[in-house]
Amino acid sequence: MSEAELDTTEKLPSERKIITEIWPALLASALGLLPFTVLSTFLVPIADWAGAGYAEVGSLRGLAGVGAVLAGVGLAPLIGRITPGKIAAAALGLMGIAAVLGTFSGMAALAAFCLATGVANALLYPALSTAAADHFGTTPAAGRAATLVMTAQTLASTVGAPLLVLPAMFWGWQGNLIAIAIASIALIPALLRYGQGGGATSVPETSKTAARLGYVAAFRNLAAIPGARALLLVSFGRAGALMGHLAFLAPLYADKLQLSPSWFAFVWATSGGAFFLGHLLAGRMLNAEDSERRTRAVMALCLGTALLALFWVYLAPVLPLALAGTAVLSASHAVASAAVMTLLVGRCTQVRGTALSLNAAGMSLGLFLGTAASGAALAASGYLAAAVALGGFTLIALVAALSLRTTTSNKKLERSS
């Protein structure tokens, strides 16, 4: 390792230091996923409450994807022009209102809940990631801070459902939504203070540059950044492949491996735990040396591994092999996701908010199309056809990852000088 690389490595603070600096963003990130966790976990009583069928209520989740894509694309430049902390605070306020709406009976109220929560999340996560990254400027800690925000979201998706079941025994699923609304409003002041900066390595200059950009100029600047469009395509394809796979993971294990719903919870925990650990460890590893070449190589390798693991899961003849494949698939996607975040944060310094907002919108679009494609293929020709459809999304991500090139050969030397 060169002297410049050693200097850059020494600039990466400890995990505890970064978490201490960005704790409001981590709490808000974990909180943002809980409304839909309530919907998924308590789908049966919620459907009975609304007087509708399970499939009908479950399909309302699609409104969140539509809202997330429209809000993510339409409002992307605002995350550069307005302080990210203010946008995150406003998104939390909207999410709190949506959570209260979800306690009202009827499909209209649930539809409003899903749509508003989708819009809130489309603003919340890019704003949180941008604020966390801006807190550390252009140092390697910026990419690590942004990946930690997504790691907190992953942790919430893994342990959220079990943690929500216990309080629901006392106050019902409506009580969970009210508690989420109260927590959202209570966290707003902390996000507003946090979003004002004040970190030792904050980057007001890049924020000022982004604020000066016009609405259309923000998109133009992003399009001009080498590799930005390819990275967004990686996110789209990767999200489509993984989320389309997870949408039908339960019936796959039930039909092919005769696994009961109660035992499937272990499979889900394994998948979520592997994604969480992969994202957590990869975020630290990829930012430790600030090497774009290494990050690109790891991303492409993991996407290739994910493609193989996908067919591994669908063709596995016994439960242990399928379970191992599920863990490898989730971990591979987690590392690829962390790599995309690291590269976007590093390359798109002046339009970070716009880039991360479009990244989230691309993942929402991938989720919608990946689920639709795998569902259609499954209905038409079975599980192997679904695997082929999802493999196509993975292949899109892999080709886009392989098209990336290093932006600046002297990047580390410039930072260390």
Side-chain angles (χ1 to χ4, degrees):
M1 186 184 297
S2 67
E3 183 179 348
E5 290 175 314
L6 284 171
D7 289 341
T8 304
T9 302
E10 291 173 357
K11 293 178 183 178
L12 186 64
S14 67
E15 208 85 328
R16 180 178 298 180
K17 170 67 174 176
I18 297 176
I19 291 173
T20 301
E21 292 282 346
I22 65 170
W23 68 266
L26 299 181
L27 283 182
S29 180
L31 188 63
L33 205 65
L34 294 185
F36 282 137
T37 304
V38 171
L39 179 63
S40 300
T41 305
F42 302 98
L43 179 60
V44 173
I46 290 175
D48 293 340
W49 172 265
Y54 307 147
E56 188 179 0
V57 173
S59 65
L60 290 178
R61 179 74 181 267
L63 287 174
V66 173
V69 171
L70 294 178
V73 174
L75 302 178
L78 297 182
I79 300 181
R81 296 173 62 84
I82 302 175
T83 305
K86 292 181 179 179
I87 292 179
L92 271 187
L94 177 60
M95 193 176 74
I97 294 172
V100 174
L101 284 175
T103 63
F104 289 85
S105 179
M107 288 294 288
L110 285 177
F113 160 75
C114 289
L115 183 60
T117 303
V119 172
N121 281 342
L123 295 174
L124 180 65
Y125 288 110
L128 292 175
S129 300
T130 301
D134 285 352
H135 210 69
F136 293 96
T138 57
T139 67
R144 181 56 180 147
T147 57
L148 277 175
V149 171
M150 302 310 294
T151 300
Q153 180 190 13
T154 304
L155 179 61
S157 70
T158 304
V159 303
L163 292 179
L164 288 171
V165 169
L166 183 60
M169 295 174 62
F170 297 95
W171 57 34
W173 60 267
Q174 296 98 329
N176 279 343
L177 288 180
I178 294 298
I180 291 170
I182 294 173
S184 299
I185 301 302
L187 193 55
I188 287 177
L191 278 181
L192 287 174
R193 290 194 300 269
Y194 167 75
Q196 292 174 357
T201 54
S202 58
V203 282
E205 197 57 44
T206 57
S207 299
K208 291 176 183 177
T209 303
R212 288 195 295 265
L213 290 175
Y215 185 88
V216 177
F219 285 112
R220 288 176 177 169
N221 277 30
L222 179 61
I225 294 173
R229 283 175 287 187
L231 287 169
L232 295 178
L233 192 58
V234 171
S235 280
F236 163 78
R238 190 203 61 74
L242 181 62
M243 302 312 293
H245 167 68
L246 293 178
F248 300 99
L249 190 60
L252 172 68
Y253 271 85
D255 294 342
K256 298 198 69 175
L257 299 167
Q258 291 73 53
L259 198 67
S260 67
S262 58
W263 279 104
F264 177 73
F266 176 72
V267 176
W268 191 261
T270 300
S271 176
F275 193 96
F276 168 70
L277 290 175
H279 208 280
L280 178 67
L281 299 176
R284 185 73 185 182
M285 177 191 71
L286 295 176
N287 288 281
E289 295 183 9
D290 193 29
S291 170
E292 274 204 353
R293 184 184 299 275
R294 180 186 183 186
T295 302
R296 289 187 294 107
V298 169
M299 178 172 59
L301 177 62
C302 286
L303 287 171
T305 303
L307 183 61
L308 296 176
L310 177 69
F311 288 96
W312 173 2
V313 173
Y314 279 84
L315 296 174
V318 294
L319 180 60
L321 285 177
L323 195 61
T326 295
V328 171
L329 177 63
S330 295
S332 298
H333 274 278
V335 177
S337 174
V340 170
M341 181 67 72
T342 298
L343 291 172
L344 277 177
V345 166
R347 292 189 178 202
C348 307
T349 306
Q350 294 184 356
V351 284
R352 228 174 234 168
T354 304
L356 295 181
S357 183
L358 290 179
N359 185 58
M363 288 193 290
S364 295
L365 182 61
L367 185 156
F368 176 75
L369 293 180
T371 302
S374 61
L378 177 62
S381 302
Y383 287 106
L384 188 56
V388 171
L390 296 173
F393 280 90
T394 311
L395 196 58
I396 290 173
L398 179 58
V399 171
L402 291 173
S403 71
L404 285 170
R405 295 293 181 269
T406 303
T407 55
T408 307
S409 59
N410 297 322
K411 184 180 179 184
K412 287 189 276 290
L413 290 174
E414 291 172 357
R415 287 185 179 176
S416 60
S417 60

